[in-house]
Amino acid sequence: MATTKKNVGSDDYALSRVPRDKRLGFWTMLLQWLAQSGSISQFTLGATIGVGMTFGDAFLAFTLGAVILEVVIFAIGFAGMREGLSTPLLTRWVGFGRNGSALVSFVIAVSLVGWFGVQNTIFGNSVSSLIGGPSWLWCIVAGLAITVLVIFGFRYMAIFAKIVTPLFFAMVAWSVIDALSEHSLGDLISSPPPGQAIPLSVAATAIAGGYMTGAIVAPEMTRYNRKGSHVFLQTASSMILSEYIVGLTGVLLGHMVKSNEVSQIVLSTSGVFGVLVVLMSTAKINDWNLYGSSLGVVNFFQVVFKKRLHRGAVTIALGIAGTVLSAVGIMTHFTDFLTVLGVAIPPIGGIIVAEYWVVRRMRGPLDATREAGTLPTTSPTWVPMSLVIWAAAFCVGKFYDGGIPALNSLATAFVLYTVLGLLGWVRTYGTTTLADDEDALPVAAEHTPVGAA
């Protein structure tokens, strides 16, 4: 008698295209993007920049950062929307080949689950200082809660965003307006920076570089979009909110208190409910770290070990590991390593954009199968030149002192791949069929409850 394999949560099309009839509407996706803007850390970033810059210079820095991020997010996110594929899977046919995509998946997965643990540690410490209780306990509570949410996939994460995002910005607007009402807005805008001057390049680095990894994995979200215009409007709205409204408000708060310690301003007038909303909004951002990591691990295991893991099960393993490591305080010791990975990820985006939109030597199989909603039956095995370009771009971002490191590495990868690709020097080697999926798990139905078939 045949048995049906039972899985936990949703596989969320981890190794396939997201079908057109499963894409989500404009407003649902917009709230997902806006949720990425809802963080106290963005106010702190704005205040840090405000301490060292005039409001006008800070406006220029945020404009530069927003434009850079929007160009990158749209170029990569639009490709993800057209193909319905996440970044790790997309790279099989766009720039890296099957085996190269495993390396991409590994780097992305390690980076994102690492930041999940780091952010969870910060979360636990913050709750402990505000409410009391041991930070390790709050790390466990937060980490397990986020893990449960991510197990059930994108649609449940979208529901959470619908609840948290409006509450967060309503609460923050109330607190900030109350704080600023006692000061002259004109005086704050025209006041000199109260601290040591920050160069424009340094400020732009903090703004654009801090979210560059998120920009590279934008297809994890945009694969659920229906139209390219939606991708542009939603990502642009997110940039406007996070940089011009949240970030520049942080600049004003920094000028007001002459310090970057502004989180208490946002929390002081909001009470316990406000603290809860802020913490939920932080969790809403961190769920994307765990979600993106799970997609990377699934692709990595299929390529390297020829095993298709269910994304829900992978999420449980990653979530528990990240939660435990954050609770015992280990994750904070890896921030330097994660920062290095942050320079290694932008070249992936440069290569994707160059291959998909300019060189277009590898994307033919995707074009041929897009209308049917299936994956190509074969993929290139290796693209050695892409790995060389990736390494060279990483070195530029890591060791060149000028400009914005994340942007330097991304631009270097884009230029090198474009030039060498158009010259015919970027070549594929070998062909791999997708016939190694005999043990593949069925795609989980949406809203599958725990333990359901």
Side-chain angles (χ1 to χ4, degrees):
M1 181 177 177
T3 59
T4 302
K5 196 167 186 176
K6 294 184 177 182
N7 302 304
V8 178
S10 172
D11 197 47
D12 260 11
Y13 312 102
L15 290 173
S16 62
R17 296 181 190 263
V18 176
R20 285 286 170 180
D21 61 351
K22 299 298 182 181
R23 307 290 179 97
L24 302 178
F26 178 85
W27 295 107
T28 297
M29 295 300 298
L30 176 63
L31 283 172
Q32 280 279 36
W33 278 106
L34 295 182
Q36 306 310 301
S37 309
S39 171
I40 292 297
S41 63
Q42 188 69 3
F43 283 101
T44 303
L45 173 62
T48 301
I49 292 173
V51 169
M53 303 185 82
T54 66
F55 184 86
D57 288 342
F59 181 88
L60 181 60
F62 275 106
T63 298
L64 180 60
V67 169
I68 292 171
L69 286 172
E70 178 57 23
V71 169
V72 175
I73 291 173
F74 181 68
I76 298 176
F78 192 19
M81 183 280 301
R82 292 183 81 232
E83 306 302 340
L85 299 175
S86 65
T87 298
L89 199 57
L90 185 65
T91 56
R92 291 194 190 186
W93 295 275
V94 184
F96 289 89
R98 177 182 170 86
N99 292 349
S101 77
L103 185 57
V104 169
S105 299
F106 179 79
V107 171
I108 289 176
V110 171
S111 177
L112 292 180
V113 78
W115 285 117
F116 167 79
V118 171
Q119 292 295 327
N120 202 53
T121 301
I122 296 172
F123 183 99
N125 292 339
S126 299
V127 177
S128 178
S129 63
L130 290 169
I131 299 177
S135 61
W136 63 264
L137 177 61
W138 293 116
C139 286
I140 292 176
V141 171
L144 294 182
I146 295 172
T147 300
V148 170
L149 174 65
V150 176
I151 286 171
F152 292 102
F154 192 93
R155 289 180 178 270
Y156 283 85
M157 292 163 64
I159 293 171
F160 189 48
K162 289 180 180 180
I163 298 171
V164 174
T165 306
L167 288 175
F168 174 82
F169 285 108
M171 186 275 297
V172 166
W174 174 38
S175 299
V176 170
I177 291 173
D178 180 70
L180 292 177
S181 64
E182 300 176 3
H183 298 78
S184 168
L185 189 60
D187 290 343
L188 291 177
I189 291 176
S190 61
S191 63
Q196 185 176 357
I198 298 177
L200 178 62
S201 61
V202 174
T205 296
I207 295 166
Y211 191 68
M212 191 59 73
T213 297
I216 304 307
V217 296
E220 271 71 336
M221 190 180 300
T222 61
R223 65 197 180 115
Y224 279 92
N225 274 108
R226 294 173 180 171
K227 299 178 181 179
S229 59
H230 290 184
V231 174
F232 175 76
L233 291 173
Q234 290 157 6
T235 57
S237 297
S238 178
M239 286 299 103
I240 291 171
L241 181 60
S242 64
E243 312 304 335
Y244 289 108
I245 298 178
V246 177
L248 289 177
T249 298
V251 172
L252 294 176
L253 293 175
H255 281 206
M256 183 181 75
V257 301
K258 304 186 186 311
S259 167
N260 65 353
E261 299 294 332
V262 299
S263 59
Q264 291 301 322
I265 295 175
V266 179
L267 298 174
S268 61
T269 60
S270 53
V272 175
F273 175 74
V275 172
L276 179 63
V277 170
V278 169
L279 297 178
M280 290 173 64
S281 70
T282 304
K284 181 65 200 78
I285 294 174
N286 207 21
D287 63 3
W288 276 104
N289 288 325
L290 185 58
Y291 185 76
S293 182
S294 69
L295 293 174
V297 169
V298 169
N299 185 63
F300 177 82
F301 265 81
Q302 193 198 38
V303 172
V304 176
F305 301 106
K306 295 181 172 58
K307 294 292 184 181
R308 180 168 180 176
L309 303 180
H310 191 274
R311 193 202 61 82
V314 170
T315 299
I316 294 174
L318 292 175
I320 291 176
T323 298
V324 171
L325 291 176
S326 67
V328 299
I330 291 178
M331 292 307 302
T332 53
H333 297 293
F334 290 94
T335 52
D336 290 340
F337 172 66
L338 295 174
T339 301
V340 172
L341 288 184
V343 180
I345 291 177
I348 298 170
I351 291 172
I352 291 175
V353 174
E355 166 58 36
Y356 194 87
W357 296 112
V358 183
V359 179
R360 297 191 290 184
R361 296 283 179 89
M362 294 175 58
R363 59 173 265 192
L366 289 176
D367 294 337
T369 56
R370 186 183 307 119
E371 188 66 26
T374 59
L375 289 179
T377 57
T378 62
S379 64
T381 303
W382 284 107
V383 189
M385 186 58 72
S386 291
L387 302 181
V388 173
I389 293 171
W390 188 6
F394 167 78
C395 290
V396 171
K398 176 63 178 174
F399 300 110
Y400 175 63
D401 292 333
I404 304 172
L407 181 61
N408 292 342
S409 61
L410 183 145
T412 299
F414 175 81
V415 171
L416 286 178
Y417 192 98
T418 297
V419 172
L420 297 179
L422 293 177
L423 290 175
W425 290 11
V426 179
R427 299 176 181 176
T428 63
Y429 290 85
T431 301
T432 303
T433 67
L434 300 186
D436 57 5
D437 283 347
E438 293 87 358
D439 62 338
L441 298 171
V443 175
E446 297 301 328
H447 305 292
T448 305
V450 175

